[in-house]
Structure formats: structure tokens, C-alpha cells
């Protein structure tokens, strides 16, 4: 009752209950319809699966909730706001996590307990009074035109060149790229359909250079794997996200280009599109974002353009 009464009222309530129940022995009755905390977590994960969350997201949700429950060592119905606050603080200090990561954990906790409240498993979510954690907005890097050309010129494999072109011209996620098959590519219209987050399909477009390099790569293949990108050596398995990340990171180290990562191509495309005047709603659709706020986080306006605009409109 601590969430509903003050300390004075709580002490008085305890005094009255002790007096009334002094001659009684209270035991907990086990019922077959009682739902355990593990069952609640499973039901929550099932609800999120129905909503369209990816397998990777569901694993993250489950691990995050399990870690919190194990730390607090209480039945879920007894977890308080202070318990959650202490867990977030201790977990951040122990792991050295950023504020962004801690806020992601808070959001998962909020989603879980709000679901429990909606389903009438608990009276009130203990996360309600834990507000969004303020984070510092860091300016995320993009590739310069020079860096992109240096990477293209130094690709020793046509496959790697085709991957760089596809990522930089479409802005697709690396997870979407590795799921593509050969027949997904429409060379006539220079487009392809990718399967994005929440199993939602969308059309992305690539330029003429990407078309030529993709065709050259596919013509050089000697395997019959339907995957668009495969490993360089037999048995020519479908390339996975980790393989793409390692390949690009090694290329960046070789060329002394900092922070070469697949997602950086996506951010670069968004920034270029905004700088050249592409409507934000169209960019949102191209990138497959559910919320336009997410698109704005990707599209970092170049400082040089801000300087030019200042001189034009103000100075």
C-alpha cells in the first residue's frame, strides 16, 4: 500500500491489522489459475510478437526483463518505483552504460509494467513516475564524398563494391540487405523490395552505378545460391550481418577511415537527401521509419549548410 498511503497512515494501518489478526494464522492458498511471474513475462513477449516485433527485439525484451526481476528478487506485484530506480542506477554504474542505453531499459520496463496494468495483473505500473532520461544529443558522423570514393576504389572484390554501392544508394539496413535474394532485384526499374522492421515491406531504389556493379558481381558468381550476397569461398553461404560488418571494418582500418560501419551509409544518405531538399515525409518512407522523429535523428544537417543559410538569411 506504500504507493497509495503516506508513512503515517501505513503505520496506523499496520497497528490496526496486527491487533485484529493477532489470534489468526494466515497461509497462502495455492490455486491452479494463479499466474507466475515467468508466465507473465511469456505472455508479454507473446503480445509483443503479435504486434510484429522482430525475433531479435523479443530476445532483447526478455533478457532485459529477466535481468531486472533476478536483481530485484521480488514478486512482480511487489516491485516498487524505488526498486526500478535503484536497479537502473546500479546497472548503469556496474556496466558503465550510456544514458541512451539506460533509457532504452527504462522504456522496456515501462512497456512491460504498463501491459501488466492494462491486463489487470497489477493495480498501477511502478514505472509511471520514472520519466525519460535526458541524454546528450551527439552529432553522428557521416561519410564524406571523398571517403566513399576511396572505399570504392580500394575494393579488391566486386562483391564488396556492389555492397557499398547498394547500401549508400538505397539507405537500406544491413539486416534488410542480407535477406535479399537475386530475384528481388528489379534491374529494369532499379528498385527492390526489402523486408523491414515489423515484417513490413517497402520499395527502395538504387542508382545506375549500383546496377552495373550488381550485374557484374552476379555474372561473376559460379554458385547457385539464391541469396544476393554470399561468402567469397565455398560453400558460398548467404552473407550474414556480422560478415558485412567485419568486412567493412577491415576495409576502413586498411584505408585509415574511422568508424566504417553499414549503418553509417544509411545516415549519410539521409543527411544528403535533407541537404538537397528532399521532403522529410518522402525520406521517412524511403528509410521505412514508423515515426518521423526517428527520421529527423538520422538526418543531420551539415554545419557548412547552416553557415551558408545564416549568411543568406541573417548575416
Amino acid at each position: 500500500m506504500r504507493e497509495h498511503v503516506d508513512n503515517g497512515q501505513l503505520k496506523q494501518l499496520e497497528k490496526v491489522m496486527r491487533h485484529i489478526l493477532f489470534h489468526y494464522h494466515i497461509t497462502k492458498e495455492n490455486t491452479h489459475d494463479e499466474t507466475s511471474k515467468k508466465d507473465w513475462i511469456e505472455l508479454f513477449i507473446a503480445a509483443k510478437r503479435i504486434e510484429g516485433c522482430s525475433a531479435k527485439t523479443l530476445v532483447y525484451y526478455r533478457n532485459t526483463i529477466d535481468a531486472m526481476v533476478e536483481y530485484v528478487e521480488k514478486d512482480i506485484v511487489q516491485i516498487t518505483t524505488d526498486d526500478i530506480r535503484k536497479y537502473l542506477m546500479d546497472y548503469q554504474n556496474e556496466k558503465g552504460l550510456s544514458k541512451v542505453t539506460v533509457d532504452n531499459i527504462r522504456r522496456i520496463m515501462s512497456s512491460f509494467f504498463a501491459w501488466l496494468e492494462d491486463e489487470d495483473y497489477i493495480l498501477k505500473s511502478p514505472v509511471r513516475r520514472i520519466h525519460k532520461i535526458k541524454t546528450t544529443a551527439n552529432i553522428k558522423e557521416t561519410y564524406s564524398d571523398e571517403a566513399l570514393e576511396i572505399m570504392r576504389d580500394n575494393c579488391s572484390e566486386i562483391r564488396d563494391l556492389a555492397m557499398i554501392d547498394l547500401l549508400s544508394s538505397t539507405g537500406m539496413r544491413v539486416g534488410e540487405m542480407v535477406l535479399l535474394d537475386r530475384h528481388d532485384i528489379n534491374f529494369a526499374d532499379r528498385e527492390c523490395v526489402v523486408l523491414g522492421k515489423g515484417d513490413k515491406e517497402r520499395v527502395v531504389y538504387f542508382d545506375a552505378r549500383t546496377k552495373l556493379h550488381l550485374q557484374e558481381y552476379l555474372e561473376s558468381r559460379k554458385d547457385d545460391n539464391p541469396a544476393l550476397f554470399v561468402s567469397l569461398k565455398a560453400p558460398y553461404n548467404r552473407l550474414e550481418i556480422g560478415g558485412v560488418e567485419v568486412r567493412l571494418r577491415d576495409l576502413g582500418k586498411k584505408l585509415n577511415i574511422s568508424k566504417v560501419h553499414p549503418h553509417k551509409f544509411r545516415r549519410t544518405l539521409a543527411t544528403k537527401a535533407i541537404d538537397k531538399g528532399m521532403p522529410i515525409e518522402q525520406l521517412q518512407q524511403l528509410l521505412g521509419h514508423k515515426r518521423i522523429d526517428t527520421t529527423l535523428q538520422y538526418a543531420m544537417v551539415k554545419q557548412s549548410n547552416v553557415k551558408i543559410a545564416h549568411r543568406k538569411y541573417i548575416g
Side-chain angles (χ1 to χ4, degrees):
M1 296 293 292
R2 189 177 297 277
E3 297 288 325
H4 308 285
V5 296
D6 59 34
N7 289 334
Q9 293 170 324
L10 194 62
K11 288 180 180 179
Q12 185 63 28
L13 177 61
E14 180 184 2
K15 181 179 178 181
V16 172
M17 290 184 69
R18 283 182 180 277
H19 175 74
I20 294 175
L21 302 175
F22 182 77
H23 297 290
Y24 293 89
H25 178 69
I26 301 174
T27 59
K28 182 179 180 181
E29 180 183 0
N30 291 321
T31 58
H32 293 293
D33 60 348
E34 181 179 329
T35 309
S36 71
K37 61 184 179 182
K38 287 295 181 185
D39 292 331
W40 287 355
I41 296 173
E42 289 300 325
L43 289 171
F44 172 71
I45 296 299
K48 286 298 175 182
R49 184 181 293 111
I50 293 172
E51 290 177 12
C53 291
S54 67
K56 183 178 179 181
T57 299
L58 294 176
V59 170
Y60 182 46
Y61 273 40
R62 186 193 303 277
N63 292 342
T64 302
I65 297 169
D66 283 343
M68 181 275 299
V69 172
E70 183 178 350
Y71 172 88
V72 175
E73 294 183 334
K74 285 185 178 180
D75 288 338
I76 288 176
V77 292
Q78 296 177 336
I79 294 176
T80 66
T81 300
D82 288 340
D83 292 329
I84 301 294
R85 284 199 180 109
K86 187 175 187 305
Y87 170 71
L88 292 175
M89 181 179 66
D90 290 350
Y91 196 67
Q92 181 179 23
N93 293 335
E94 179 185 342
K95 302 290 185 180
L97 302 176
S98 67
K99 290 182 179 180
V100 173
T101 302
V102 176
D103 193 58
N104 285 338
I105 296 173
R106 180 202 61 81
R107 286 192 300 105
I108 293 173
M109 295 297 102
S110 178
S111 178
F112 175 55
F113 282 101
W115 178 83
L116 289 175
E117 182 181 333
D118 291 341
E119 296 294 321
D120 294 327
Y121 290 126
I122 61 175
L123 290 176
K124 180 181 177 182
S125 167
V127 192
R128 273 193 186 185
R129 291 188 285 123
I130 303 178
H131 303 297
K132 175 179 170 59
I133 299 171
K134 294 182 179 180
T135 58
T136 304
N138 297 320
I139 298 178
K140 297 179 180 179
E141 295 181 13
T142 59
Y143 294 117
S144 65
D145 292 339
E146 181 181 0
L148 286 172
E149 290 306 316
I150 290 174
M151 283 190 281
R152 289 190 177 103
D153 291 343
N154 287 275
C155 284
S156 57
E157 298 289 342
I158 183 62
R159 182 203 66 178
D160 297 345
L161 179 57
M163 286 196 308
I164 287 175
D165 282 337
L166 191 62
L167 287 170
S168 61
S169 65
T170 63
M172 68 173 64
R173 302 177 179 94
V174 62
E176 296 167 345
M177 184 182 74
V178 297
L179 292 177
L180 287 172
D181 289 330
R182 302 189 201 205
H183 65 78
D184 293 324
I185 306 299
N186 181 344
F187 285 108
D189 295 326
R190 299 208 308 260
E191 65 183 39
C192 61
V193 177
V194 297
L195 186 65
K197 289 185 176 181
D199 292 333
K200 294 180 180 178
E201 292 185 340
R202 74 178 189 284
V203 180
V204 297
Y205 309 94
F206 51 89
D207 56 23
R209 172 164 51 184
T210 303
K211 173 182 176 179
L212 294 176
H213 290 155
L214 270 176
Q215 288 176 327
E216 184 180 351
Y217 164 61
L218 293 176
E219 289 169 2
S220 70
R221 296 249 305 260
K222 297 179 175 59
D223 63 276
D224 58 359
N225 192 324
L228 180 61
F229 292 108
V230 296
S231 58
L232 296 174
K233 297 180 180 178
Y236 303 108
N237 294 322
R238 180 185 294 272
L239 203 58
E240 297 183 354
I241 293 175
V244 178
E245 291 175 342
V246 170
R247 191 72 177 178
L248 291 176
R249 185 164 58 245
D250 290 345
L251 179 63
K253 290 179 179 178
K254 174 185 172 184
L255 301 174
N256 198 28
I257 300 175
S258 66
K259 300 179 182 178
V260 175
H261 188 273
H263 208 73
K264 200 170 175 179
F265 291 99
R266 184 170 166 85
R267 194 180 304 121
T268 301
L269 176 135
T271 301
K272 285 185 176 180
I274 290 293
D275 284 342
K276 292 183 178 181
M278 184 176 190
I280 192 68
E281 296 83 2
Q282 294 179 14
L283 179 59
Q284 178 188 8
Q285 183 175 348
L286 184 65
L287 295 178
H289 289 154
K290 185 177 180 180
R291 299 172 61 244
I292 203 165
D293 290 351
T294 308
T295 310
L296 290 170
Q297 290 175 11
Y298 276 71
M300 305 301 295
V301 179
K302 291 182 180 178
Q303 191 63 35
S304 59
N305 286 356
V306 175
K307 184 177 181 180
I308 293 171
H310 180 274
R311 288 180 176 174
K312 178 179 179 181
Y313 296 108
I314 301 173

